[in-house]
Amino acid sequence: MSLLLVMPGRDTEPVRDALRRASPGLDVRVWPDVGDPARVLMAVTWNHPPGCFDALPALRVISSYGAGVDHLLRDPRLPAGVPVVRVVDPNLVQDMVEYAVGAVCAWRRGFEVYRQRQQRAEWVPVPYDRDRSALVLGLGELGGAVARALAGIGFDVSGWSRTPKAIRDVRCQVGRDALEAALPAAAAVVCLLPLTPATEGILDRRLLARFRPGSLLLNLARGAHVVESDLLEALDRGRPAAAWMDVFADEPLPPEHPFWRHPAVTVTPHVASLTDPDSVAVQLVATYRRAESGGPFRHVVDPARGY
Ligand code: NDP
Ligand code: OXD
């Protein structure tokens, strides 16, 4: 039997090599070179072409190559009854924590302003707010870790999720009213929600109007969480005053997009947390073995919930 990588436009060599290191005899195929379609037991995907699973009669499990599964669940031809799983990996969590904490601290302490002042040899301290408040949207594997890390360095942290959570030193909240009430109190808002019908466009004009003047928005989840035109208007009003954006509705961000040159926007190219092939290969091979032995699988996604 075989494992099929369906990751068009991505360099599959590192993951193929990592899979072979993790399991030397594994038959790894790279789409569109499927080999014998009747032998494909597992597919690992990132932005797969719809319909690519149609003629794989032995397919037992589909894994996202990342933490997000929106790219999979939006496929109307996803085979019914084949479980979808996702990557949950300590390196992915650690990288996201470093990125989020680093960005919040760099913004709060004005490091970018110093960089500009350095060009003019200006020895001028940047005043900063003593208020270390942060709100994390999504308290799952990534958001939960970011909330804990911010709390661990002394931030006053609130978090928002779909179902109630208990995280030490984090005020965990649920429901739209709680979200609207928490926003004006937060100096930094970090979005780590999955992209689902319920969260698409959630950061729109109405919610952005609740942001505190002078605050920072970090979108590290998916571009479609933010209504980009509403954000540009909100930045003009200074609430939020700055946006740190790693993900965009259209990726790569087109050269003419206003975010590139906006003085209040920091752009990074979807790198907050990158899947590490060696680390993830171990999990993928474990999933493959479960497919061989008839499951049960770990980190299974609920298509009805959307994550
Ligand atoms: P999880 O599924 O572990 O966590 C999702 C969290 O969001 C949960 O706390 C969940 O609530 C909450 N949530 C879901 N729907 C709602 C809703 N409607 N209202 C309120 N809260 C909601 O996801 P991860 O933490 O692993 O990943 C989050 C996202 O980060 C991924 O989906 C992906 O899009 C993005 N990502 C971005 C990367 C980057 O490099 N920029 C890298 C990796 C991931 P509950 O706990 O109640 O279920
Ligand atoms: C992911 C991502 O979902 O990289 O893992 O965005």
Side-chain angles (χ1 to χ4, degrees):
M1 302 304 280
S2 65
L3 181 153
L4 176 66
L5 298 174
V6 191
M7 299 169 25
R10 269 181 100 125
D11 178 11
T12 48
E13 215 170 291
V15 60
R16 198 185 53 193
D17 293 350
L19 283 165
R20 287 183 177 150
R21 275 193 296 277
S23 179
L26 189 62
D27 184 6
V28 181
R29 301 279 163 167
V30 179
W31 191 88
D33 175 17
V34 173
D36 179 355
R39 290 181 52 79
V40 178
L41 197 63
M42 172 172 169
V44 177
T45 72
W46 192 259
N47 289 332
H48 69 281
C52 73
F53 309 121
D54 283 356
L56 304 177
L59 192 65
R60 295 259 172 78
V61 62
I62 301 172
S63 176
S64 170
Y65 184 60
V69 289
D70 45 297
H71 60 102
L72 268 163
L73 298 186
R74 68 173 167 243
D75 178 358
R77 289 164 69 179
L78 202 62
V82 177
V84 172
V85 302
R86 72 193 191 99
V87 160
V88 173
D89 175 60
N91 285 316
L92 214 54
V93 174
Q94 175 67 21
D95 286 358
M96 186 58 83
V97 166
E98 279 175 18
Y99 184 108
V101 172
V104 169
C105 294
W107 166 77
R108 207 178 87 78
R109 300 300 307 270
F111 288 164
E112 176 56 28
V113 179
Y114 288 119
R115 190 84 208 149
Q116 291 158 12
R117 291 187 180 172
Q118 186 179 339
Q119 310 302 313
R120 302 186 294 271
E122 280 178 9
W123 183 276
V124 184
V126 179
Y128 55 92
D129 197 345
R130 293 279 164 194
D131 176 347
R132 291 187 185 84
S133 52
L135 170 64
V136 181
L137 310 181
L139 293 173
E141 296 291 335
L142 302 176
V146 167
R148 275 189 288 273
L150 286 169
I153 56 166
F155 275 74
D156 175 16
V157 184
S158 296
W160 188 68
S161 55
R162 195 178 58 85
T163 57
K165 294 269 162 304
I167 302 177
R168 197 170 157 212
D169 295 331
V170 177
R171 261 186 317 281
C172 298
Q173 323 204 39
V174 296
R176 176 79 190 194
D177 290 351
L179 173 59
E180 291 193 5
L183 279 169
V189 177
V190 183
C191 178
L192 275 167
L193 292 164
L195 185 63
T196 70
T199 64
E200 184 164 356
I202 189 167
L203 290 159
D204 63 358
R205 182 182 310 240
R206 220 177 111 208
L207 219 53
L208 291 165
R210 306 284 306 163
F211 274 56
R212 175 202 277 206
S215 57
L216 168 74
L217 165 68
L218 281 102
N219 187 17
L220 311 182
R222 285 292 181 265
H225 285 124
V226 174
V227 179
E228 292 182 347
S229 53
D230 289 0
L231 175 60
L232 287 165
E233 282 177 27
L235 288 168
D236 288 344
R237 288 191 297 272
R239 36 194 317 179
W244 199 302
M245 311 288 285
D246 184 53
V247 286
F248 304 90
D250 193 8
E251 294 182 6
L253 188 64
E256 66 283 1
H257 198 289
F259 283 164
W260 280 116
R261 278 162 284 275
H262 198 293
V265 178
T266 301
V267 170
T268 57
H270 199 144
V271 290
S273 187
L274 296 172
T275 305
D276 169 25
D278 277 302
S279 172
V280 161
V282 175
Q283 185 187 320
L284 296 178
V285 168
T287 304
Y288 182 85
R289 298 290 170 227
R290 284 168 188 265
E292 281 181 322
S293 63
F297 296 106
R298 298 187 68 205
H299 312 308
V300 178
V301 167
D302 176 356
R305 210 176 52 165
Y307 67 101

